[in-house]
Amino acid sequence: MAHPFETLTPDLVLDAVESIGFLSDARILALNSYENRVYQVGIEDSEPLIAKFYRPQRWTNEAILEEHQFTFELADVEVPVVAPLIHNGETLHEHKGFRFTLFPRRGGRAPEPGNLDQLYRLGQLLGRLHAVGATKPFQHREALGVKNFGYDSLTTLLEGNFVPRSLLPAYESVARDLLKRVEEVYDATPHQNIRMHGDCHPGNMMCRDEMFHIVDLDDCRMGPAVQDIWMMLAGDRQDCLGQLSELMDGYNEFHDFNPRELALIEPLRALRLMHYSAWLARRWDDPAFPRSFPWFGTERYWGDQVLALREQLAALNEEPLKLF
């Protein structure tokens, strides 16, 4: 059977946008997105809009609307975030089986790796984000945990026969050892789950006119605050210590960070490694994935994964980063 996104043609995208009252000028540009499909659509006598078409059967309507509500809560207290447009009282629309949302176009550039001045300002932004996120929980969006990001990822890979037979024993062995250690650290580390961004890599914290703004809350969920912090760090341990200090100086101006959560950085990195492979596996029926990730499934990829998980297991046994 054809994947649903194969029927999402440019004409259908334009029809969807026009179905809620906008007049397109027929210009359309596909933007870089794999989980969903995102397009810049030209509008007659106005600025272009960004149309995001949600992957079918991923989030419920309630979960998507909860993301939108979180975005509005941030915007209400002037946290710079790209919020969905409200049109005819709605943010989530449907056209020919596809759910979609419109956003204003807001470009920018990603932070410079290791730039301490930018990290201080990013820390302020993350502190403001988490101050709002900590006020109440999500009701319809799952939390980040060892089971769903770790053990469920391993089950997907093993049951789907994605790991080459020659590397299967090595991968399964190191993955199980790694998850056991992750679980031990998780259980030993006091932490609080709050609403967070969930996929806070530098490309989702864009700078425009010397001001950073948050984009793409599609992966927002409950989880420890440090999940949104560790992906801002780059380089060796000494580099990360300096960067972490700047981040926390800005962050703590708006929200108190529990330094004990730093022990979760390497467990969270381990979960992200395994979840990424499982994400590719779960999306392999989408034709965009074999085209864009042709190396997935090769012995070289899985050999590199075995090595990466072994290195991550070693990192879990090192002293965690600390604030001074």
Side-chain angles (χ1 to χ4, degrees):
M1 293 180 62
H3 191 274
F5 276 147
E6 289 194 276
T7 66
L8 187 59
T9 62
D11 284 344
L12 194 154
V13 171
L14 295 176
D15 288 346
V17 172
E18 294 190 341
S19 73
I20 58 173
F22 290 96
L23 181 61
S24 166
D25 63 9
R27 292 180 298 166
I28 184 171
L29 175 65
L31 303 180
N32 187 29
S33 177
Y34 294 107
E35 185 62 11
N36 303 296
R37 294 294 187 268
V38 183
Y39 303 89
Q40 178 178 294
V41 178
I43 302 298
E44 286 282 358
D45 301 320
S46 187
E47 288 291 314
L49 296 176
I50 304 301
K52 173 181 175 181
F53 289 78
Y54 292 92
R55 178 172 291 274
Q57 301 179 347
R58 181 180 179 229
W59 292 117
T60 64
N61 286 355
E62 292 81 5
I64 293 172
L65 292 173
E66 200 166 42
E67 170 208 334
H68 294 177
Q69 179 58 37
F70 184 33
T71 308
F72 291 132
E73 289 178 47
L74 294 169
D76 285 345
V77 293
E78 299 183 347
V79 176
V81 60
V82 181
L85 295 177
I86 301 174
H87 190 71
N88 296 329
E90 304 289 342
T91 58
L92 183 61
H93 313 282
E94 189 274 336
H95 183 71
K96 292 190 176 178
F98 288 101
R99 296 169 299 171
F100 70 99
T101 294
L102 300 179
F103 296 85
R105 183 180 64 170
R106 189 178 304 172
R109 64 183 187 279
E112 300 169 15
N115 184 308
L116 298 184
D117 176 62
Q118 289 188 347
L119 284 167
Y120 175 79
R121 289 185 287 148
L122 287 168
Q124 291 178 311
L125 183 53
L126 286 173
R128 297 174 68 192
L129 168 69
H130 289 171
V132 175
T135 58
K136 64 181 181 182
F138 283 132
Q139 299 296 328
H140 301 285
R141 301 180 77 85
E142 67 176 9
L144 189 163
V146 180
K147 181 183 183 302
N148 58 353
F149 269 57
Y151 286 107
D152 289 353
S153 294
L154 180 59
T155 297
T156 293
L157 297 171
L158 298 182
E159 293 185 352
N161 297 316
F162 289 98
V163 185
R165 187 179 299 273
S166 61
L167 291 167
L168 181 59
Y171 183 85
E172 182 174 4
S173 175
V174 68
R176 293 196 184 281
D177 288 346
L178 181 62
L179 288 175
K180 181 181 178 181
R181 184 70 183 119
V182 166
E183 203 164 31
E184 290 171 352
V185 177
Y186 242 81
D187 290 344
T189 305
H191 61 279
Q192 176 188 3
N193 280 350
I194 64 172
R195 293 180 297 173
M196 49 147 195
H197 188 288
D199 190 29
C200 198
H201 58 77
N204 281 334
M205 307 286 278
M206 304 296 287
C207 184
R208 182 179 183 182
D209 299 328
E210 302 305 314
M211 176 179 289
F212 284 101
H213 59 271
I214 301 165
V215 299
D216 194 11
L217 282 162
D218 190 68
D219 280 308
C220 65
R221 63 190 71 229
M222 301 294 293
V226 73
Q227 168 67 9
D228 281 349
I229 291 169
W230 72 264
M231 279 187 278
M232 292 289 141
L233 307 178
D236 60 26
R237 182 182 179 88
Q238 201 60 39
D239 290 334
C240 288
L241 284 170
Q243 295 165 22
L244 180 63
S245 177
E246 289 297 317
L247 269 172
M248 288 297 97
D249 282 349
Y251 185 99
N252 285 317
E253 290 182 10
F254 296 94
H255 190 63
D256 290 333
F257 178 74
N258 176 5
R260 289 179 294 184
E261 285 193 11
L262 294 175
L264 294 179
I265 288 179
E266 296 308 329
L268 290 167
R269 194 192 311 274
L271 293 177
R272 188 171 177 86
L273 279 170
M274 295 193 64
H275 184 262
Y276 179 73
S277 292
W279 174 68
L280 292 174
R282 291 165 182 151
R283 301 294 181 255
W284 207 242
D285 64 333
D286 181 341
F289 278 70
R291 289 196 301 266
S292 301
F293 308 98
W295 35 260
F296 181 69
T298 65
E299 290 206 355
R300 179 173 181 177
Y301 172 77
W302 289 104
D304 288 345
Q305 289 303 298
V306 170
L307 178 60
L309 295 190
R310 286 174 177 163
E311 291 175 345
Q312 195 56 36
L313 183 57
L316 275 162
N317 294 319
E318 296 178 356
E319 186 74 14
L321 294 179
K322 292 184 177 179
L323 291 170
F324 297 100

